């Protein structure tokens, strides 16, 4: 009968990887739980940085394990069943923190929120989290990498689908009754792309020590909201309109 040595903790007892493997498989009490949580946290912190800097496809689990300082470079596979699973965990962790900030922005809404109010609820929680975390930060560049990856993009869509985002979309729709569902959906995709790419670009500059304007994330977010409001309210040109001016 074949024995898989990589899955035999007792065979490598005394090594860092063996202990981690044992805790993931269960048992060990409170100390093991603390160690397991710390290892998972280290993997996530290293993974988001490497993904942001090198690209999701370019980084292997072995590289992540080594960069996390783990003697067993296969340790990532014991915590995350696939790269998609790891990417999903990173997206979920970041989005959960944004959700907390978004609820705070909802509390600021008046009785009749306007278009700018809803766009602010979309942008500011995201930029505030980036501001709070760094510099340097890596999540904006990581998300930009995932969105650009055909095999991973759906994870971003799924993890961003929360009740708070749905509430913002309803609010935007109410403020833009003249837009058809098709145009609304199209502009939603464009706006999402602009937010992700502009934040990633700023994050990269800050990480590299390049001067940025405006100087603060708050000013940046305010300017971005200005641009997005303009995008939402731009005139809709139809085929008939184009023919009239041709």
């Amino acid at each position: 009968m074949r024995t898989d040595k990589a899955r035999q903790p007792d065979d490598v007892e005394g090594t860092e990887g063996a202990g981690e493997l044992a805790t993931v498989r269960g048992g060990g009490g409170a100390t093991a739980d603390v160690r397991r949580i710390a290892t998972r946290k280290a993997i996530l912190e290293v993974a988001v940085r490497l993904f942001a800097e090198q690209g999701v496809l370019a980084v292997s689990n072995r590289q992540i394990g080594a960069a996390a300082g783990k003697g067993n470079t296969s340790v990532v596979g014991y915590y995350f069943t696939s790269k998609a699973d790891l990417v999903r965990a990173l997206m979920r962790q970041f989005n959960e923190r944004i959700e907390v900030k978004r609820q705070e922005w909802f509390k600021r809404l008046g009785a009749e929120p306007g278009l700018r109010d809803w766009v602010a609820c979309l942008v500011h929680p995201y930029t505030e989290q980036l501001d709070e975390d760094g510099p340097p930060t890596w999540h904006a560049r990581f998300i930009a990498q995932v969105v650009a990856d055909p095999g991973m993009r759906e994870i971003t869509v799924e993890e961003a689908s929360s009740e708070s985002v749905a509430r913002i979309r309803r609010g935007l729709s109410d403020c833009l009754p003249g837009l058809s569902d098709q145009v609304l959906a199209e502009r939603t995709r464009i706006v999402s792309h602009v937010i992700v790419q502009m934040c990633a670009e700023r994050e990269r500059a800050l990480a590299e020590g390049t001067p940025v304007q405006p100087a603060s994330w708050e000013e940046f977010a305010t300017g971005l909201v200005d641009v997005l409001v303009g995008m939402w309210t731009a005139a809709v040109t139809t085929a008939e309109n184009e023919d009239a001016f041709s």
Side-chain angles (χ1 to χ4, degrees):
M1 180 177 178
R2 181 179 179 274
T3 300
D4 186 351
K5 291 292 184 182
R7 294 184 179 274
Q8 299 296 321
D10 293 336
D11 291 341
V12 285
E13 189 64 29
T15 68
E16 184 177 10
E20 289 162 355
L21 176 56
T23 59
V24 172
R25 298 305 179 199
T31 300
D33 288 340
V34 170
R35 186 178 183 185
R36 180 165 57 246
I37 292 169
T39 299
R40 188 178 189 276
K41 182 172 183 274
I43 290 171
L44 290 171
E45 289 176 349
V46 167
V48 72
R49 174 173 61 82
L50 292 180
F51 287 160
E53 294 175 343
Q54 301 178 31
V56 176
L57 293 180
V59 178
S60 68
N61 285 357
R62 185 172 293 275
Q63 286 176 283
I64 295 170
K70 303 305 170 186
N72 181 0
T73 53
S74 299
V75 68
V76 176
Y78 302 133
Y79 288 83
F80 303 97
T81 58
S82 64
K83 183 170 286 187
D85 186 32
L86 175 55
V87 167
R88 187 179 297 279
L90 286 167
M91 292 292 301
R92 185 166 298 175
Q93 180 188 67
F94 187 63
N95 285 336
E96 285 174 351
R97 292 188 292 154
I98 292 177
E99 282 297 305
V100 173
K101 295 186 180 300
R102 190 159 284 143
Q103 295 304 318
E104 292 300 316
W105 274 83
F106 284 159
K107 293 177 183 178
R108 306 179 192 181
L109 294 174
E112 297 182 4
L115 177 61
R116 186 180 182 84
D117 298 317
W118 290 114
V119 177
C121 287
L122 191 64
V123 173
H124 281 277
Y126 188 63
T127 56
E128 284 179 0
Q129 191 61 62
L130 294 171
D131 189 20
E132 185 178 299
D133 288 349
T137 56
W138 294 277
H139 275 93
R141 285 171 288 166
F142 159 67
I143 293 172
Q145 293 276 0
V146 176
V147 168
D149 185 336
M152 296 285 182
R153 185 181 181 281
E154 192 60 32
I155 295 175
T156 307
V157 175
E158 291 172 0
E159 291 302 319
S161 299
S162 64
E163 174 53 36
S164 70
V165 172
R167 180 180 176 184
I168 291 173
R169 287 178 177 170
R170 291 193 297 270
L172 291 169
S173 180
D174 290 343
C175 292
L176 299 163
L179 296 185
S180 67
D181 290 343
Q182 179 181 343
V183 172
L184 199 62
E186 180 183 55
R187 294 191 179 182
T188 297
R189 288 193 297 272
I190 294 171
V191 164
S192 298
H193 180 78
V194 170
I195 293 172
V196 168
Q197 296 301 326
M198 291 303 297
C199 287
E201 184 178 299
R202 179 182 175 85
E203 181 186 73
R204 182 180 296 106
L206 289 170
E208 294 172 350
T210 304
V212 295
Q213 290 295 333
S216 72
W217 275 106
E218 183 178 1
E219 292 175 285
F220 169 84
T222 298
L224 186 54
V225 170
D226 288 340
V227 171
L228 299 181
V229 168
M231 292 176 67
W232 279 113
T233 56
V236 178
T237 302
T238 64
E240 290 77 10
N241 296 145
E242 289 184 327
D243 291 340
F245 290 99
S246 60

